[in-house]
DNA sequence: CAGTGGTCTAGACCACCTC
DNA sequence: AGGTGGTCTAGACCACTGT
């Protein structure tokens, strides 16, 4: 997959950087050298370099070149949309996923969800509650809502694995973008039941609405973390233009 | 400023969207129509459209067109690097800034800062602590560290206004990117002194290292918010490529 | 001055969607 | 078939950086 050239160049250069072939502070070969070695036009190299810059690998400087700014110590959760399973693989921490409940309910029971996913009262939706455990202790509680009609074949077994994998590979949908919201909120009774008695009785709550590439909102997710353990890392640029 | 064409087109289209000339769900004119009406080449229009997509205004769809996905209700703090003053202007909430302290100290007194800004022991740095007040109540405590040599003329008056404005307009530096980290932590004694006794005694701590466009780290900032009031909004895409 | 990245163009071919 | 966006090219001119 991803057969286009600039993506291949991006992959190639980003893995070189991650593997340490270039170190922070070094200058990447110039665009001219890169277009020669990859045998492509300049704009194609530039697309790859722009991706590297947007994702925090390099900083381009007019007249000088592209400096590597990637630092292995910076967590690579660059505020991108990745599934829990992917985060886990990056961090090499092994969590267990336990399905607490999977139910089919009418949309009207969750007004927030109904509004965000733009559904009528009686539209059936899945409500899925999962615990993420590390050494038998719950660290994250994930509550998801999906349109039932979009995935009538959902089972507890699938939910225990990667839902994203199921949606993208089995159902062939493309996940595209999301809006997240991070807040700090007091634990509910269910939170206390699943997390156990911890201090402070607060969670870091990450609410997100995930959209497919045709812009339909299809997932409403609430991910609650133990507040004391939560950390969100983000790489951002001042102006996307210029 | 920003004299290039694709930025002008981006500005033009994004303000049209924000002002409601196009509503969520509508389709933007096709690239062909846009290149005619703006009198530019296709790649130039496409650069503007890519900016709109990256910033969460539109979703492009092959074969169909560019759908407006911008929703005025979604907070426009799209995880970009903007100064406190800019956030304030967007939100139309009027905070007062009060300088609590401005001191020149050697870097070794703050090991975290020293490492992040890459300084030797004796390098002098500014330590600036500011309160952001709304109706006489402190809502945010900003602690900043800057290299002293980069801005020897810093005064409390300047610090009470916009430091970014000072750096960009007066000193002519370009602020480029930052790495943020959001955590929730118990209040320190200083926090309690400035925030007063609030429940829960926790803050949302946003730590960031800000870099100039030549990749030098120049600011270390810790922004503490009352946890119960904190909300971070983020727009993100799954793959930056494709 | 030569080398770097930034912008812009005109044209080509492709894949996708709708009619 | 005709319209849409996605990729790619070859070449041009500019602004910035170093020597």
């Amino acid at each position: 997959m991803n057969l286009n050239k600039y993506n291949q160049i991006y992959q190639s250069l980003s893995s070189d950087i991650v593997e340490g072939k270039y170190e922070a502070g070094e200058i990447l070969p110039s665009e001219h050298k890169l277009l020669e070695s990859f045998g492509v036009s300049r704009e194609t190299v530039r697309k790859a370099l722009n991706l590297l810059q947007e994702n925090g690998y390099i900083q381009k400087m007019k007249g000088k070149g592209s400096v590597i700014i990637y630092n292995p110590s910076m967590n690579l959760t660059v505020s991108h949309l990745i599934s829990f399973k992917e985060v886990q693989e990056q961090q090499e921490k092994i969590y267990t996923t336990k399905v607490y409940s999977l139910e089919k309910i009418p949309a009207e029971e969750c007004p927030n969800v109904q509004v965000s996913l733009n559904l009528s009262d009686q539209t059936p939706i899945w409500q899925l509650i999962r615990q993420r455990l590390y050494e038998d202790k719950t660290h994250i509680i994930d509550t998801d809502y999906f349109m039932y009609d979009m995935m009538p074949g959902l089972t507890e077994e699938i939910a225990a694995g990667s839902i994203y994998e199921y949606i993208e590979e089995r159902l062939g949908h493309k996940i595209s973008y999301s809006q997240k919201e991070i807040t700090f909120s007091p634990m509910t009774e269910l939170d206390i039941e699943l997390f156990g008695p911890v201090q402070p009785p607060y969670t870091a709550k990450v609410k997100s609405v995930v959209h497919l590439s045709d812009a339909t909102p299809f997932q409403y997710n609430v991910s609650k973390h133990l507040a004391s353990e939560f950390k969100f890392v983000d790489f951002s640029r001042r102006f996307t233009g210029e």
Side-chain angles (χ1 to χ4, degrees), chain A residues 5-181:
Chain A
K5 297 188 186 174
Y6 69 82
N7 239 303
Q8 287 174 30
I9 298 172
Y10 169 72
Q11 298 295 345
S12 162
L13 293 175
S14 62
S15 29
D16 285 354
I17 293 170
V18 172
E19 286 164 18
K21 293 189 189 166
Y22 300 105
E23 284 191 9
E26 271 189 73
I27 306 272
L28 218 56
S30 72
E31 295 181 353
H32 184 70
K33 281 177 194 151
L34 290 174
L35 72 86
E36 279 188 341
S37 65
F38 284 103
V40 298
S41 76
R42 188 164 165 227
E43 287 291 354
T44 303
V45 165
R46 287 178 55 71
K47 275 184 191 166
L49 293 178
N50 285 334
L51 284 183
L52 289 171
Q53 169 154 309
E54 279 161 28
N55 293 3
Y57 290 99
I58 64 171
Q59 172 68 24
K60 301 214 245 169
M61 284 178 298
K62 212 181 285 192
K64 289 194 194 163
S66 301
V67 192
I68 312 287
I69 59 173
Y70 171 85
N71 191 323
S73 75
M74 80 193 218
N75 248 319
L76 204 51
T77 318
V78 201
S79 170
H80 282 158
L81 232 192
I82 49 181
S83 72
F84 180 78
K85 199 177 168 194
E86 288 165 294
V87 172
Q88 206 184 140
E89 281 160 7
Q90 278 180 13
Q91 299 192 344
E92 292 170 14
K93 221 183 183 183
I94 298 149
Y95 286 88
T96 319
T97 298
K98 190 168 142 194
V99 176
Y100 175 82
S101 69
L102 174 64
E103 290 177 39
K104 179 182 168 186
I105 59 173
E108 61 188 328
E109 282 188 24
C110 299
N112 282 343
V113 178
Q114 189 182 348
V115 171
S116 298
L117 300 189
N118 200 12
L119 307 171
S120 61
D121 282 1
Q122 297 304 323
T123 315
I125 54 176
W126 283 117
Q127 180 193 56
L128 168 63
I129 303 179
R130 292 179 292 180
Q131 296 164 260
R132 313 294 195 171
L133 307 155
Y134 182 64
E135 290 175 352
D136 292 332
K137 189 170 160 248
T138 301
H139 286 242
I140 303 172
I141 301 174
D142 261 331
T143 307
D144 289 281
Y145 300 88
F146 303 94
M147 285 181 58
Y148 176 86
D149 293 332
M150 206 171 259
M151 36 205 298
L154 187 60
T155 64
E156 293 208 2
E157 288 67 43
I158 294 169
S162 173
I163 292 263
Y164 271 30
E165 224 167 82
Y166 173 69
I167 291 162
E168 297 204 303
E169 290 171 22
R170 297 274 295 280
L171 301 182
H173 287 128
K174 265 193 203 155
I175 288 159
S176 179
Y177 64 94
S178 85
Q179 289 161 243
K180 280 196 197 67
E181 200 184 280

